[in-house]
Amino acid sequence: MRPFLYSLMIVSCLSLLLWVRPIKTTARERGDNNSSSSLSAMPKQCRPGKTSTEALGWRWKPYTHVRLYYLKNNFSEAEVNAFSRAVNNWNSALKEIDSSIVFTTGGTRESVSEDNASITVMRGIPKGKERLGEIKFYSMSNGVERMVVVISPVVTDLDALTSLMAHEIGHSLGLADCYECKRGTTTMAAFRDNNKGNDVFEPSECDKYVVAAGYLSEHGAQARLSPTTRQ
């Protein structure tokens, strides 16, 4: 069956578009939460566009078990471990907010996975000037939804790879880029350089809030808004 290619374009308003380019993301370029009145108040430290990102219109469905694969011979063991650090950090955050989304690693593959609820990570040249990562969402007419993440070969620092993977997983959970956000505040902030990330390796309290709010607003009480304050 012919896949429908979704694109999430960050403009004055964010919407889900069909038959256009996939979203391209980067943590280097510089550019209201989807919550209802019944939701808990956003944490005080979360200022949209400054320390907190906003929500996109696409995210994995509740109770989705997402399997993540790496294209064979594209990454070293150390690089895969760097990615796993980001995956584990997101799993801990998702468990905390009761989103019922779980990411697991399925190992390496010879080709891109076409399985439902799958992510294939590969090396490649992202389309677009100075982009370090590209994320592509696909939705098939038979209900299969999958994602491909392209990582630029210029990103080799292990910490930078961790923050970039955390960034891309954030997109799959409905988080938008936040080019003007201060580094160190959200995983969706910009990179300082190819191998100098955004100083974030796990989702912030604000990231968790926006993810939880997105699931609550679209699917009812599927996520709990109970952000914790870290000293």
Side-chain angles (χ1 to χ4, degrees), residues 142-159:
N142 62 359
V144 171
E145 293 180 331
R146 60 187 178 87
M147 182 173 78
V148 174
V149 171
V150 180
I151 304 293
S152 172
V154 303
V155 186
T156 56
D157 179 80
L158 297 181
D159 283 344

Side-chain angles (χ1 to χ4, degrees), residues 17-57:
L17 305 175
L18 294 174
W19 298 105
V20 289
R21 294 183 302 167
I23 182 174
K24 283 84 174 177
T25 70
T26 176
R28 182 175 179 181
E29 294 183 349
R30 295 187 62 82
D32 344 345
N33 290 315
N34 288 350
S35 55
S36 67
S37 58
S38 63
L39 297 180
S40 302
M42 176 181 284
K44 291 182 179 180
Q45 72 268 31
C46 303
R47 293 184 296 159
K50 299 295 182 181
T51 60
S52 177
T53 186
E54 56 189 347
L56 295 170

Side-chain angles (χ1 to χ4, degrees), residues 3 13 25 43-44 53 66 98 112 163 168 206 211 215 222 227:
C13 63
T25 70
K44 291 182 179 180
T53 186
V66 184
D98 289 340
V112 173
S163 56
E168 302 302 351
C206 303
V211 170
Y215 279 106
Q222 300 289 355

Side-chain angles (χ1 to χ4, degrees), residues 159-178:
D159 283 344
L161 288 171
T162 296
S163 56
L164 185 54
M165 178 58 75
H167 182 99
E168 302 302 351
I169 291 177
H171 278 307
S172 81
L173 293 164
L175 299 184
D177 287 310
C178 190

Side-chain angles (χ1 to χ4, degrees), residues 30-178:
R30 295 187 62 82
D32 344 345
N33 290 315
N34 288 350
S35 55
S36 67
S37 58
S38 63
L39 297 180
S40 302
M42 176 181 284
K44 291 182 179 180
Q45 72 268 31
C46 303
R47 293 184 296 159
K50 299 295 182 181
T51 60
S52 177
T53 186
E54 56 189 347
L56 295 170
W58 192 97
R59 56 182 56 82
W60 295 114
K61 296 176 182 178
Y63 304 104
T64 298
H65 181 175
V66 184
R67 191 166 292 275
L68 189 146
Y69 300 98
Y70 301 102
L71 211 58
K72 190 175 180 179
N73 298 323
N74 277 218
F75 303 101
S76 68
E77 182 179 354
E79 290 172 333
V80 170
N81 289 338
F83 292 142
S84 296
R85 178 184 173 194
V87 173
N88 292 337
N89 287 341
W90 263 113
N91 277 336
S92 295
L94 293 168
K95 183 177 181 180
E96 180 181 328
I97 64 173
D98 289 340
S99 69
S100 300
I101 307 295
V102 177
F103 293 90
T104 60
T105 300
T108 60
R109 289 180 59 95
E110 296 282 353
S111 59
V112 173
S113 171
E114 295 186 356
D115 296 337
N116 185 44
S118 66
I119 300 174
T120 303
V121 186
M122 60 185 290
R123 285 288 190 184
I125 306 299
K127 295 180 180 179
K129 186 179 180 181
E130 294 187 330
R131 296 190 180 277
L132 302 179
E134 178 182 12
I135 187 169
K136 302 177 183 180
F137 295 95
Y138 297 90
S139 182
M140 309 291 285
S141 57
N142 62 359
V144 171
E145 293 180 331
R146 60 187 178 87
M147 182 173 78
V148 174
V149 171
V150 180
I151 304 293
S152 172
V154 303
V155 186
T156 56
D157 179 80
L158 297 181
D159 283 344
L161 288 171
T162 296
S163 56
L164 185 54
M165 178 58 75
H167 182 99
E168 302 302 351
I169 291 177
H171 278 307
S172 81
L173 293 164
L175 299 184
D177 287 310
C178 190

